[in-house]
């Protein structure tokens, strides 16, 4: 939620974060060259817990002088300020629990508070909603940000990135940024320090998304449909994930400065394909682990293990796939009625 907009932008100087949470997003934005990160958290108890319980994770972000923290409603703060930001990003709060952060009206407000080259980043879950709800949320975002790309993190999480123009990625610059001390330290903790692992999460651009959401209504302040979704299952929606996996979009086509020769460019393309493939295979595993199904728990677990094995075979360099294989091979924690 911090590094995608950071790495896709040339030289951001300030950022606005809706929601402090554990403080990891805010501290990730505090890069060399970042002058100020403004974070607004609605709950004073969250601020207290952030400092007391998560200082190791967030590197004592509350003591960082460049962090400007306010206890307030994030949307209200954006409404009353006249400041402009290079990055606006939201923390991970489900749209059914914080619906006013997922409407076209909110996104239009965010767009008005971005600088000319500013980037908007929005977390978007795949669970506890129908596919129609999911389409609605993307349609509402793209209504304000026509130049939107979709990124897949795992079976529970996707991210939308709205930019002022069609996405274009300077691969050489991104690679150099990832070599910087803070970037490398932060992202190595989640096996994303490799540019191929990071870019392998790309799903598609605005053209594919426009077709996907063409028939979906807008989620608005006056008509907050998603807030009243009747879905009871907290697991990821199988139909959402199947649609994402079926989307065709190659991040390689968005890259420039991939090397001085056709051989180097071909190697970049091959590496990106490996990481993208392994991620999609891991999501397939997640379909059996967490989504509703008619098969027995033991059968679903065994199928999930096989998909993770396929992912490791497709890309032995995928650290997360290898970790997940080690973890999942130990067997399900408890084969009871829930499985």
């Amino acid at each position: 939620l911090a590094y995608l907009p950071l790495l896709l932008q040339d030289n951001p100087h300030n950022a606005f974060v809706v929601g402090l949470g554990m403080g990891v997003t805010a501290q990730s934005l505090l890069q060399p060259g970042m002058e100020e990160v403004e974070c607004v958290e609605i709950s004073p108890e969250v601020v207290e817990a952030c400092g007391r319980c998560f200082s190791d994770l967030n590197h004592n972000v509350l003591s960082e002088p460049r962090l400007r923290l306010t206890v307030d409603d994030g949307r209200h703060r954006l409404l009353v300020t006249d400041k402009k930001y290079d990055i606006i990003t939201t923390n991970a709060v489900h749209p059914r629990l914080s619906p006013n952060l997922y409407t076209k009206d909110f996104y239009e407000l965010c767009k008005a508070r971005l600088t000319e080259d500013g980037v908007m980043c929005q977390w978007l879950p795949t669970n506890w909603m129908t596919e129609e709800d999911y389409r609605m949320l993307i349609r509402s975002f793209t209504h304000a940000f026509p130049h939107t790309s979709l990124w897949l993190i795992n079976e529970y999480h996707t991210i939308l990135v709205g930019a002022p123009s069609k996405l274009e990625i300077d691969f050489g610059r991104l690679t150099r940024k990832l070599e910087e001390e803070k970037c490398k330290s932060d992202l190595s903790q989640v096996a994303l320090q490799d540019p191929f692992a990071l870019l392998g999460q790309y799903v598609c651009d605005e053209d594919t998304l426009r077709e996907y959401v063409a028939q979906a209504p807008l989620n608005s302040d006056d008509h907050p449909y998603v807030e009243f979704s009747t879905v009871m299952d907290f697991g990821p929606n199988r139909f959402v994930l199947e649609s994402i996996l079926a989307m065709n979009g190659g991040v390689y086509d968005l890259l420039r400065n991939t090397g001085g020769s056709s051989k180097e460019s071909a190697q970049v393309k091959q590496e990106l394909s490996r990481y993208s493939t392994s991620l999609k295979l891991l999501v397939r595993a997640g379909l059996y682990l967490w989504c509703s199904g008619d098969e027995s728990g033991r059968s679903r677990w065994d199928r999930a293990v096989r998909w993770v094995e396929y992912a490791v075979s497709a890309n032995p360099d995928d650290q997360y796939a290898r970790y997940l294989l080690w973890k999942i091979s130990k067997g399900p924690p408890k084969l009871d009625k829930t499985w």
Side-chain angles (χ1 to χ4, degrees):
L1 291 171
Y3 273 103
L4 264 183
L6 274 169
L7 293 169
L8 295 178
Q9 207 178 15
D10 282 339
N11 191 26
H13 295 290
N14 68 349
F16 186 95
V17 185
V18 181
L20 176 65
M22 293 186 292
V24 176
T25 300
Q27 80 83 18
S28 297
L29 285 163
L30 289 164
Q31 303 287 323
M34 183 68 74
E35 296 169 5
E36 181 182 77
V37 173
E38 184 173 350
C39 181
V40 180
E41 170 55 54
I42 198 169
S43 171
E45 291 82 5
V46 169
V47 176
E48 181 183 359
C50 176
R52 181 184 297 179
C53 306
F54 302 109
S55 58
D56 288 344
L57 280 175
N58 62 43
H59 307 307
N60 293 304
V61 69
L62 297 185
S63 63
E64 167 61 56
R66 290 177 295 163
L67 177 69
R68 181 183 170 195
L69 178 63
T70 306
V71 177
D72 195 355
D73 177 86
R75 178 166 171 174
H76 171 259
R77 187 71 180 175
L78 280 173
L79 181 66
V80 300
T81 188
D82 58 359
K83 287 184 65 174
K84 298 275 188 174
Y85 303 93
D86 295 320
I87 292 172
I88 296 177
T89 186
T90 64
N91 236 310
V93 182
H94 200 282
R96 289 179 65 177
L97 302 177
S98 196
N100 288 339
L101 299 181
Y102 288 88
T103 66
K104 73 172 185 66
D105 310 82
F106 172 66
Y107 297 134
E108 288 168 349
L109 172 61
C110 290
K111 187 175 185 179
R113 297 294 179 265
L114 283 170
T115 58
E116 185 177 345
D117 297 323
V119 173
M120 172 75 187
C121 185
Q122 174 68 289
W123 175 75
L124 195 61
T126 63
N127 72 315
W128 202 25
M129 67 176 82
T130 66
E131 185 176 15
E132 181 68 5
D133 296 333
Y134 186 77
R135 289 177 192 259
M136 226 182 296
L137 293 172
I138 295 179
R139 168 95 195 283
S140 304
F141 188 89
T142 58
H143 178 79
F145 298 98
H147 303 297
T148 294
S149 55
L150 177 66
W151 300 72
L152 174 64
I153 312 307
N154 55 40
E155 62 271 16
Y156 271 94
H157 309 286
T158 60
I159 289 178
L160 294 171
V161 178
S165 58
K166 197 172 179 69
L167 186 62
E168 191 177 73
I169 302 171
D170 186 324
F171 183 74
R173 180 174 58 81
L174 183 143
T175 302
R176 290 191 296 273
K177 278 191 173 184
L178 288 173
E179 286 298 320
E180 293 174 2
E181 184 179 355
K182 179 171 173 55
C183 282
K184 199 168 187 177
S185 175
D186 284 350
L187 292 178
S188 63
Q189 297 177 43
V190 288
L192 288 176
Q193 74 278 15
D194 188 303
F196 303 111
L198 187 81
L199 293 173
Q201 297 179 319
Y202 172 85
V203 176
C204 67
D205 67 2
E206 59 210 66
D207 298 327
T208 301
L209 287 178
R210 191 180 301 114
E211 182 179 347
Y212 178 60
V213 304
Q215 304 303 316
L218 290 166
N219 192 58
S220 67
D221 290 350
D222 290 339
H223 297 94
Y225 299 112
V226 177
E227 180 181 359
F228 299 100
S229 179
T230 58
V231 174
M232 301 300 290
D233 188 352
F234 282 87
N237 187 297
R238 175 181 296 273
F239 301 104
V240 169
L241 294 176
E242 291 286 5
S243 292
I244 292 172
L245 293 175
M247 290 177 181
N248 294 316
V251 71
Y252 179 80
D253 296 332
L254 308 178
L255 301 183
R256 56 185 175 87
N257 193 18
T258 57
S261 67
S262 57
K263 182 179 180 180
E264 288 174 314
S265 295
Q267 288 174 338
V268 168
K269 190 172 186 178
Q270 183 180 12
E271 285 297 293
L272 288 170
S273 177
R274 287 204 306 142
Y275 275 94
S276 176
T277 298
S278 61
L279 174 59
K280 289 180 177 180
L281 291 170
L282 293 177
V283 171
R284 286 281 176 198
L287 284 170
Y288 287 100
L289 281 178
W290 314 121
C291 296
S292 301
D294 297 329
E295 298 176 82
S296 69
R298 179 79 258 181
S299 174
R300 287 167 59 196
W301 187 273
D302 291 342
R303 282 177 178 263
V305 171
R306 282 200 294 274
W307 281 109
V308 178
E309 289 173 341
Y310 295 152
V312 173
S313 178
N315 184 10
D317 295 324
D318 189 329
Q319 296 179 41
Y320 180 67
R322 293 171 62 184
Y323 162 75
L324 196 58
L325 180 61
W326 167 80
K327 187 175 182 179
I328 201 173
S329 295
K330 297 177 178 294
K334 187 177 182 182
L335 284 174
D336 58 16
K337 292 181 180 179
T338 61
W339 281 95

